[in-house]
Structures are given as structure tokens and as C-alpha cells.
Amino acid sequence: MKIATWNVNSIRARLDNVVTWLKETSPDVACLQEIKTVEDTFPRQALEDLGYNVAIHGQKSYNGVAMLSKKPFEDVCAILPGDDSDEQARFLQATISTDDGALTIASIYAPNGNPVESEKYPYKLDWMKRLHAHAQEMLKLEECFVIAGDYNVIPHDDDVHNPESWREDALFRPETLEHYHRLLNLGLTDAYRACKQAAHQYTFWDYQAGAWPKDHGIRIDHHLLSPQAADRLKSAGIDRFTRGWQKASDHVPIWIELDI
DNA sequence: ATGTCGATACTTTATCGA
């Protein structure tokens, strides 16, 4: 089973690219982030026409996540526990039944957190704490569980062109990495790193300052796997080619294959 | 040194977020 995740930076602006990519790469599940629209204006039909079931946690203008699956969703939850007052659409979790049992997948859009001296940074860290608590609960089930999406975290110096220029950024500062390490320390596996050891493999290049032609990117989109999912991990890859397309998202898809 | 893109609104340019 191939599970991809892609921050599309507006599903309505990106629909042609998303449809082309789905036809070319045919993931079984696609987690989408920054759809930037509500369910009423999400282009559901175009994706259903490609054979996908569609689950949406939308928001006007900002944020918003969705999931596409060739298999039907058994259960869908759009709430990350821990803050009833949080109105930002950044989480969607669904369960799919497979021949090998239940598989639960979350599509996440973690907060960016910049600027760090604003209220956005504590919100980012609190959101990561909530994700940690949720992952801890899910791990008790001892099932296949994948948290895929835009973590807005650069895990390591090898995941950025110039680490020093990012050191104080909300995506890379030590306090952010501490929170990310707490997730890994639960026993979750960074699927891409488990498969590929090459440095400087990126999933995001800023639109500004010639970041793409200079390959000044960062790796911030990840799949974290429960031990049961990690046992089934076969391969991983990054669909870099979509960044060169017309009307490209600033992120590209990243995918894994599980032997399920 | 500079460089972008998408959504929104009392819109056709400014503002916000990334």
C-alpha cells in the first residue's frame, strides 16, 4: 500500500497538478494539507472521478486537511484532542480496513510557528504536545498507525541546505526539535530516513529568492510510523518532479510503501 | 541585493500567512 502526503497550498489553485500527479503515481492513500477551503467548495467530484473516497476537514482561506483513499473509510475523526478552543483545521484521521487488519492514518498540518516571539510559537509547541499525547494513546492499540503530513519541522542539519541560516527559525530551533524528538522517543519511525540515508533530500522550496533553482530546500514533510507499521515498511520516495511544473506548490509529495 | 504565491475584501491594490 502506497501512502503519500502533499501540502498542496490551496486545492483549488492546485487541482490540475493534483489530478495529474494522482494519475501518474496512483497512491492508495493521499493526505493533503493547506487545502485552504471549506468542504462546500472542495473539488470533491474531480477526485472521486479518479476512484478515491474523500474525507475533508476544511477551513476558509487558511489551513485545512483532507485524505483520499481508494479503500473506503471505516472511521473518520477531525479532532486532535487537548484544546476544545482550537478552531484551526490541522488534523484528520481515518481508519481503513485491510487484509492484515486495521490501518489508521492521520493527515496533519502542524503550525509553522513563525515569528517565534509571537503567540504563534507557543501555539506550535502546544500543538506538538497534543500530537504527542494523541500518538501515545494510539500506540497503546499496538496497530499499524501512520501520521503523515507537514510537520513544519526540519529534523536534522542534513535536512537543510544551510543549517546556520535556519537555526533560529521556528521550524528548526532547539525547542522545536526537542518536541519532535519526544515524538520519535515514543517509538515512532521517520519512514523516509529509515529507507534513505542521503543528505539534502527536500520536500519544500520557498517560492522566493530562487530557492528551487538553487536547491535551497528543507525536509519538513514526514511519515511517522508505529512499530507495527515500521515492520511493514518497504520503500519511500519524494516526487521532486512536481516542483518544476507550472503553478507548482512550494511543497512536493513524499510517499511510503507498506507491505500491507 | 533582489527575487513568490494564494485567499480575501467596502477589490482591481493592500494585507496576511507561509
Side-chain angles (χ1 to χ4, degrees):
Chain A
M1 174 171 294
K2 185 175 185 179
I3 302 167
T5 181
W6 190 7
N7 179 323
V8 293
N9 186 14
S10 169
I11 186 62
R12 289 189 288 175
R14 216 67 61 209
L15 183 60
D16 288 351
N17 286 15
V18 170
V19 166
T20 301
W21 168 72
L22 288 169
K23 285 179 177 171
E24 278 189 25
T25 67
S26 198
D28 297 286
V29 174
C31 299
L32 306 178
Q33 297 86 35
E34 278 207 90
I35 62 172
K36 290 187 169 179
T37 196
V38 293
E39 184 155 356
D40 283 350
T41 45
F42 186 98
R44 173 188 288 270
Q45 190 65 51
L47 302 172
E48 287 180 345
D49 289 348
L50 298 175
Y52 287 99
N53 297 281
V54 179
I56 300 160
H57 183 192
Q59 183 178 335
K60 187 178 178 181
S61 306
Y62 306 117
N63 310 318
V65 290
M67 201 180 308
L68 316 178
S69 172
K70 290 180 179 174
K71 288 177 181 278
F73 298 116
E74 302 291 324
D75 193 37
V76 176
C77 174
I79 294 174
L80 178 64
D83 182 357
D84 294 341
S85 68
D86 186 3
E87 292 179 348
Q88 300 190 29
R90 297 180 174 278
F91 181 87
L92 181 70
Q93 176 173 297
T95 299
I96 294 157
S97 93
T98 75
D99 295 341
D100 292 305
L103 167 65
T104 299
I105 300 169
S107 174
I108 68 154
Y109 175 48
N112 176 292
N114 284 305
V116 292
E117 56 286 347
S118 74
E119 74 289 344
K120 290 176 182 178
Y121 192 59
Y123 174 72
K124 175 191 183 87
L125 297 183
D126 186 62
W127 202 93
M128 293 179 78
K129 280 185 201 167
R130 290 164 59 199
L131 186 64
H132 179 277
H134 177 63
Q136 202 162 29
E137 284 304 305
M138 291 300 298
L139 285 165
K140 291 179 182 171
L141 299 175
E142 300 189 344
E143 291 176 350
C144 280
F145 178 41
V146 178
I147 310 174
D150 180 358
Y151 281 71
N152 268 313
V153 172
I154 302 165
H156 190 272
D157 282 13
D158 286 349
D159 299 313
V160 52
H161 169 258
N162 180 359
E164 295 323 314
S165 70
W166 285 84
R167 199 70 74 190
E168 298 305 317
D169 192 276
L171 280 60
F172 197 41
R173 65 200 314 260
E175 199 175 356
T176 301
L177 296 191
E178 279 176 30
H179 282 71
Y180 182 72
H181 293 153
R182 276 178 210 146
L183 274 174
L184 297 181
N185 291 339
L186 289 171
L188 298 176
T189 296
D190 173 350
Y192 187 78
R193 267 290 164 256
C195 293
K196 310 264 179 164
Q197 285 74 54
H200 310 302
Q201 305 300 300
Y202 307 130
T203 64
F204 169 94
W205 297 258
D206 200 290
Y207 288 122
Q208 298 187 70
W212 168 243
K214 293 176 183 169
D215 198 26
H216 291 181
I218 50 179
R219 188 174 72 95
I220 57 174
D221 300 271
H222 312 296
H223 298 76
L224 295 193
L225 310 186
S226 73
Q228 293 76 17
D231 285 345
R232 306 297 190 108
L233 179 61
K234 283 201 302 188
S235 60
I238 297 172
D239 288 341
R240 245 182 96 94
F241 56 89
T242 65
R243 190 62 177 80
W245 287 353
Q246 289 294 307
K247 276 184 73 74
S249 172
D250 40 7
H251 295 249
V252 298
I254 178 169
W255 51 267
I256 62 168
E257 278 193 297
L258 299 181
D259 186 18
I260 293 177

